[in-house]
Amino acid sequence: MIQLTGLDHVVLRVADADTAIRFYCEVLGCSVERTLPAELGLIQLRAGHSLIDIVPVSGGLGQLGGAAPGEEGRNMDHFCLAVSPWDEEKIRAHLESFGVEVGPVGNRYGAGGNGPSLYLKDPDGNTVELKGPGDLDDA
């Protein structure tokens, strides 16, 4: 039996790597973990216990995926980042200070159970869910 322990990484194809890196690092608090050679085109960002791989569509890996992400076609529906502690007012104020539009908070189910979450868009239009602790975390 395979036992999963959480999200390992998500790979995002992006139109502008610098803009994506600024968003994920400055707005959401990730850090650059490593950068692979430019001809490959992969920047790995640390997001807690997980990674977000940024793949510019102009690089070697990015060109394999076809057209750049956009409204007509996406490479992913959304991904979810766990947030703890959850303070909606502070989270919303932080995101809005960067000009990020934030959706309403809802009680949604995730890996940790039912808990608060909200949705936002990154600079390439990818949907990002931020999720607070759920009822399984309290058990």
Side-chain angles (χ1 to χ4, degrees):
M1 176 68 112
I2 296 174
Q3 293 187 345
L4 302 178
T5 59
L7 180 65
D8 183 85
H9 71 277
V10 173
V11 179
L12 297 177
R13 294 178 67 248
V14 302
D16 183 331
D18 292 335
T19 299
I21 292 166
R22 274 194 305 278
F23 178 81
Y24 284 99
C25 291
E26 294 177 17
V27 177
L28 295 182
C30 294
S31 60
V32 175
E33 181 150 317
R34 67 184 192 141
T35 301
L36 297 179
E39 62 273 6
L40 183 61
L42 175 69
I43 302 98
Q44 293 184 302
L45 308 179
R46 175 60 58 186
H49 295 290
S50 303
L51 293 174
I52 300 172
D53 294 350
I54 301 296
V55 177
V57 295
S58 60
L61 287 176
Q63 290 177 5
L64 296 175
E71 289 300 318
E72 308 78 42
R74 302 219 178 274
N75 297 313
M76 174 186 59
D77 179 68
H78 81 279
F79 68 94
C80 179
L81 299 172
V83 175
S84 183
W86 181 265
D87 184 327
E88 179 185 351
E89 186 175 307
K90 286 182 180 177
I91 292 168
R92 187 173 295 280
H94 173 75
L95 293 169
E96 289 174 350
S97 76
F98 282 92
V100 176
E101 290 185 34
V102 182
V105 169
N107 186 42
R108 298 179 180 95
Y109 188 81
N114 287 306
S117 79
L118 57 80
Y119 292 96
L120 56 106
K121 300 276 188 181
D122 77 1
D124 283 281
N126 293 304
T127 301
V128 180
E129 179 182 2
L130 300 181
K131 183 156 182 341
D135 50 17
L136 295 180
D137 297 324
D138 299 329

